[in-house]
């Protein structure tokens, strides 16, 4: 069965400090993994996907198949990063999400 | 393209009433997903369609919930009868093909009193 786990419901980080949002997954095949972000009063939107291996808004995420993890990282947090972040897995044609982590950047 | 369009944006209804949520996916996308968002459970996948055919409805919580996709440009999620515990934000999303990202609508905030 597919499963996505985000262990932290809330993460508070000071501006300028590093950020790491954790995501672990369970899937028997080869998954497609994504991070989505939901800013206040906006719709969910894609932040990045593992296959593109790119940095978006300073965020990166590396797929670690050994640890079945896809943690989201940013070296220096900015106030505009405050949002809800969801890790997602696309396997067997359906996209499932973790419960989300609310990132709160402290001034 | 205006993106995924959901209506209504807000719905307040009394317990026992029928509720119908509507979704227009992005033109050309062949997968459509319905999700429910709550504080406790986050984003739950209720049902998804591929080429207008329901593929997996295992996430639909009860028989009171039903979804249809009569054509490639329209889908509905119906709750009958509605209950207070159905209060949540319901999102519709569409994607182009397997492995592609999902594009979300603005959501419908449902309140059942």
């Amino acid at each position: 069965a597919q499963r996505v786990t985000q262990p932290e419901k809330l993460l508070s980080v000071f501006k300028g400090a590093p950020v790491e949002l954790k995501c672990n997954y369970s899937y028997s095949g080869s998954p497609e993994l994504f991070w989505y972000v939901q800013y206040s009063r906006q719709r969910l939107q894609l932040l990045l996907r593992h296959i593109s291996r790119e940095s978006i808004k300073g965020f990166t995420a590396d797929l670690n198949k050994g640890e079945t993890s896809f943690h989201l990282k940013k070296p220096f947090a900015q106030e505009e990063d405050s949002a809800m972040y969801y890790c997602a897995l696309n396997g067997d044609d359906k996209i499932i999400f973790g419960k989300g982590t609310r990132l709160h950047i402290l001034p | 393209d205006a993106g995924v369009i959901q209506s209504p944006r807000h719905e307040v209804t009394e317990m026992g009433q029928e509720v119908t949520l509507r979704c227009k996916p992005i033109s050309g996308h062949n997968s459509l997903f319905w999700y429910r968002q709550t504080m406790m459970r986050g984003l739950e996948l209720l049902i998804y369609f591929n080429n207008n055919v329901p593929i997996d409805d295992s996430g639909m919580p009860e028989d009171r919930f039903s979804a249809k996709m009569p054509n490639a440009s329209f889908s509905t999620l119906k709750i009958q009868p509605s209950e207070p515990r159905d209060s949540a934000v319901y999102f519709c999303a569409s994607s182009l093909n397997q492995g592609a990202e999902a594009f979300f609508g603005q959501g419908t905030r449902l309140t059942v009193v």
Side-chain angles (χ1 to χ4, degrees), chain B residues 20-96:
Chain B
T20 299
L21 311 181
R22 296 173 176 80
C23 175
K24 182 180 186 304
I26 292 174
S27 177
H29 282 193
N30 55 24
S31 293
L32 183 141
F33 306 84
W34 281 102
Y35 294 90
R36 179 171 66 177
Q37 184 184 42
T38 60
M39 290 284 288
M40 292 298 294
R41 295 196 180 93
L43 267 172
E44 302 172 273
L45 177 62
L46 302 177
I47 185 171
Y48 78 98
F49 296 83
N50 195 33
N51 293 321
N52 313 340
V53 176
I55 303 299
D56 185 344
D57 65 354
S58 59
M60 297 285 258
E62 298 172 36
D63 290 346
R64 299 183 294 107
F65 287 69
S66 63
K68 294 182 180 179
M69 192 165 186
N71 57 62
S73 59
F74 184 64
S75 177
T76 59
L77 177 68
K78 185 179 292 187
I79 308 172
Q80 180 185 23
S82 58
E83 296 182 5
R85 59 195 167 118
D86 301 332
S87 298
V89 181
Y90 290 81
F91 285 101
C92 175
S94 69
S95 70
L96 184 58

Side-chain angles (χ1 to χ4, degrees), chain A residues 11-107:
Chain A
L11 184 65
S12 295
V13 174
F14 283 103
K15 178 182 171 182
V19 175
E20 184 178 47
L21 301 174
K22 291 185 169 52
C23 172
N24 288 90
Y25 67 91
S26 174
Y27 181 60
S28 57
S30 193
E32 301 282 346
L33 285 155
F34 306 82
W35 276 98
Y36 285 78
V37 61
Q38 186 177 27
Y39 300 104
S40 179
R41 297 190 189 88
Q42 295 187 27
R43 66 182 74 194
L44 259 86
Q45 57 188 287
L46 179 70
L47 179 62
L48 52 79
R49 68 186 80 186
H50 89 270
I51 58 172
S52 58
R53 304 180 69 83
E54 56 193 344
S55 174
I56 303 293
K57 299 184 179 182
F59 285 97
T60 58
D62 292 319
L63 177 61
N64 185 323
K65 291 187 177 181
E67 296 182 357
T68 59
S69 68
F70 188 56
H71 303 328
L72 183 67
K73 299 177 183 179
K74 183 170 182 175
F76 308 104
Q78 297 171 281
E79 288 191 55
E80 55 265 34
D81 295 331
S82 291
M84 195 75 181
Y85 290 81
Y86 290 94
C87 183
L89 181 154
N90 187 333
D92 300 333
D93 280 341
K94 66 181 180 182
I95 305 173
I96 63 166
F97 288 79
K99 291 187 178 182
T101 299
R102 181 167 297 283
L103 178 62
H104 183 210
I105 305 302
L106 303 166

